[in-house]
Amino acid sequence: MGEFIKMTSTLQSLQKYLDKIKKEDGKINAFLQLNPNALQEAKAIDGKRQKGKLAGKIIAVKSNINVKGLNASCASKTLENYKATYDAYAIQKIKDEDGLIIGMTNMDEFASGSSGETSAFGPTRNPRNPSLIPGGSSSGSAAAVSADFCDMALGSETGGSVRNPASHCGVIGIKPSYGSVSRYGLIDLSMSLDQIGVFAKNIPDAGLLLDVIREKSEKDGIMERTEKINFNEIEKVPKNLTIGILDFPVGDESIENLIELKTNEAVAKYGWKTKKIKLSILDLAVETYYPLVYVEFFSGTRRFDGRRYGKKIEDSAGPEALRRILGGSEISKAEYHGRYYDKALKIKKLVEKEFENIFKSIDCLISPTVPKLPHKIGTKISVEEMYHYDALTIPANLAGNCAVSIPAGEIQGIPVGMQIICDKFQEQKMLQIARCFEKI
Ligand code: GLN
């Protein structure tokens, strides 16, 4: 009997989620496309004798990751009709382990945004409060997990695009260390920063998906380290930890208090020590990030010239993507003076150094994930305000460290995330610490 239940579980689970999507996604707009072959694929998985680690898990994928035969539109008119011709490496790994891809999710156009509002196909709404933004740019993936439309999801991170919407939607979001997940098949925003990341409803599931996609790929020269996660250890409380607490006035006292409360509870329960940490580069992070992104996005999008993928990006993309293209081309012209991109690269190195130093005396660094609560969909906010949603997430991208956002509680019914950053390639330790917080 037990065997029988297992045999039908992928299909049953898929059906349950498809019903829910049909009823509720009209309001949320988390998906841009459902996988037309999902039912067949679910049956094929259920019919296998030997099943992989992800058998029974239903996974949504951000629309900037190539899944063969599905539409990797990047939520842009530019790639509206582009069908992926191959699987990204992370997708190959998921399929090898019998994960089922339910569909492609909505996002900020070309992953450029922090609110989910720059999609060419309408904004995604926050399932926890549909009048609010879900965060971005992986808006649909976070919303799909939060709305219970799937078990897990893939997103991508350049400056916070997994952690930010995870925080606003009340789910787990992991940004892996740069060089630990293959970027093969991820459509770039900024290739020196981009990493595929994961969303899930709990740490063991998030760790499982991360572990599957963190395989070394010969197709990607950036791969550095990909140790396997030890799942027995995940449940163990790490001893003698020193928890770094970011000493930085976020400006929203209710968010600061909530994170402090949660941290104090954990520290008291597990007998950890704490240390206040000041980051000298914090004020520079956003200003360093954007020149890098503008220039790399400009350069990466030159292939969307209308010859191969249909539309020319300049004729078809929305204002935020165009701002970056225009900005990137201007910066590139001025670059022979070494003014912007070169300088930003130098500061990026300093951020790396500072992180290297602080992690000599602490095991993790804790802060709010996002410094403010999400705005109402459609509210006019300035470009600067939008860019500052990521003020606390960008440093880990610049340094290349791993980081996770976990739900810390709610303020006026709105989920608030706590960010835990660890040293490079310390995903195992990070998951253990996050699991301790999750259990409180
Ligand atoms: N919000 C940031 C941006 O617009 C981060 C995007 C991302 O991580 N993909 O660039």
Coordinates of all heavy atoms in Angstrom, one line a residue, residues 14 18 33-41 68-71 83 101-104:
L14 N 0.7 17.1 -8.5 CA 0.6 18.0 -9.7 C -0.9 18.4 -9.9 O -1.2 19.6 -10.0 CB 1.1 17.3 -11.0 CG 0.9 18.1 -12.3 CD1 1.8 19.3 -12.3 CD2 1.1 17.2 -13.5
L18 N -2.3 22.1 -9.9 CA -2.9 22.7 -11.1 C -4.3 23.2 -10.8 O -4.7 24.3 -11.3 CB -3.0 21.6 -12.2 CG -1.6 21.3 -12.9 CD1 -1.8 20.2 -13.9 CD2 -1.0 22.5 -13.5
Q33 N 3.5 30.7 -18.1 CA 3.2 29.5 -18.9 C 3.2 28.2 -18.1 O 4.1 28.1 -17.2 CB 4.3 29.3 -20.0 CG 3.9 28.2 -21.0 CD 5.1 27.8 -21.9 OE1 6.3 28.1 -21.6 NE2 4.8 27.2 -23.0
L34 N 2.2 27.4 -18.2 CA 2.2 26.1 -17.6 C 2.8 25.1 -18.5 O 2.7 25.2 -19.8 CB 0.8 25.7 -17.1 CG 0.3 26.6 -16.0 CD1 -1.2 26.2 -15.7 CD2 1.1 26.4 -14.7
N35 N 3.5 24.1 -18.0 CA 4.2 23.1 -18.8 C 3.1 22.2 -19.5 O 2.4 21.4 -18.8 CB 5.1 22.2 -17.9 CG 5.7 21.1 -18.7 OD1 5.5 20.9 -19.9 ND2 6.5 20.3 -17.9
P36 N 2.9 22.2 -20.8 CA 1.8 21.5 -21.4 C 2.0 20.0 -21.3 O 1.1 19.2 -21.5 CB 1.9 21.9 -22.9 CG 3.2 22.5 -23.1 CD 3.7 23.0 -21.8
N37 N 3.3 19.5 -21.0 CA 3.6 18.1 -21.0 C 3.6 17.6 -19.5 O 4.0 16.4 -19.3 CB 4.9 17.8 -21.6 CG 5.0 18.3 -23.0 OD1 4.0 18.1 -23.8 ND2 6.0 19.0 -23.4
A38 N 3.2 18.4 -18.6 CA 3.4 18.1 -17.1 C 2.7 16.8 -16.8 O 3.3 15.9 -16.0 CB 2.9 19.2 -16.3
L39 N 1.5 16.6 -17.2 CA 0.7 15.3 -16.8 C 1.5 14.1 -17.3 O 1.7 13.1 -16.5 CB -0.7 15.3 -17.4 CG -1.6 16.3 -16.7 CD1 -3.0 16.4 -17.4 CD2 -1.9 15.9 -15.2
Q40 N 1.9 14.1 -18.6 CA 2.6 13.0 -19.1 C 3.9 12.7 -18.3 O 4.3 11.6 -18.0 CB 3.1 13.3 -20.5 CG 2.2 12.7 -21.6 CD 2.5 13.5 -22.9 OE1 2.1 14.7 -23.0 NE2 3.2 12.8 -23.8
E41 N 4.6 13.8 -18.1 CA 5.9 13.7 -17.4 C 5.7 13.2 -15.9 O 6.5 12.4 -15.5 CB 6.6 15.1 -17.3 CG 7.2 15.5 -18.7 CD 7.7 16.9 -18.7 OE1 8.0 17.5 -17.7 OE2 7.9 17.5 -19.9
K68 N 13.9 23.3 -22.0 CA 13.6 22.9 -23.4 C 12.2 22.9 -23.7 O 11.4 22.2 -23.1 CB 14.3 21.6 -23.7 CG 14.4 21.3 -25.2 CD 15.2 20.0 -25.4 CE 15.1 19.8 -26.9 NZ 15.8 18.6 -27.3
G69 N 11.8 23.6 -24.8 CA 10.4 23.6 -25.3 C 9.5 24.6 -24.6 O 8.4 24.8 -25.1
L70 N 9.9 25.1 -23.5 CA 9.1 26.1 -22.8 C 9.6 27.5 -23.1 O 10.7 27.7 -23.6 CB 9.1 25.9 -21.3 CG 8.5 24.5 -20.8 CD1 8.3 24.5 -19.3 CD2 7.2 24.2 -21.5
N71 N 8.7 28.5 -22.8 CA 9.0 29.9 -23.2 C 9.9 30.6 -22.2 O 9.4 31.0 -21.1 CB 7.6 30.6 -23.4 CG 7.7 32.0 -23.8 OD1 6.8 32.8 -23.5 ND2 8.8 32.4 -24.5
K83 N 11.2 30.0 -27.6 CA 11.1 28.7 -27.0 C 12.5 28.2 -26.7 O 13.3 28.1 -27.7 CB 10.4 27.8 -27.9 CG 9.0 27.4 -27.5 CD 8.5 26.2 -28.3 CE 7.0 26.1 -28.1 NZ 6.4 25.1 -28.9
I101 N 8.7 19.9 -13.6 CA 8.6 21.3 -13.8 C 7.2 21.6 -14.2 O 6.7 21.2 -15.2 CB 9.6 21.7 -14.9 CG1 11.0 21.6 -14.1 CG2 9.4 23.2 -15.3 CD1 12.2 21.6 -15.0
I102 N 6.5 22.5 -13.4 CA 5.1 22.7 -13.6 C 4.9 23.9 -14.5 O 3.9 24.0 -15.2 CB 4.4 22.9 -12.2 CG1 2.9 23.1 -12.4 CG2 4.9 24.1 -11.5 CD1 2.1 23.0 -11.1
G103 N 5.9 24.8 -14.6 CA 5.7 26.0 -15.5 C 6.7 27.1 -15.3 O 7.6 27.0 -14.4
M104 N 6.6 28.1 -16.1 CA 7.5 29.2 -16.1 C 6.9 30.4 -15.4 O 5.7 30.8 -15.7 CB 7.9 29.6 -17.5 CG 8.4 28.4 -18.4 SD 9.9 27.7 -17.7 CE 11.1 29.0 -18.0

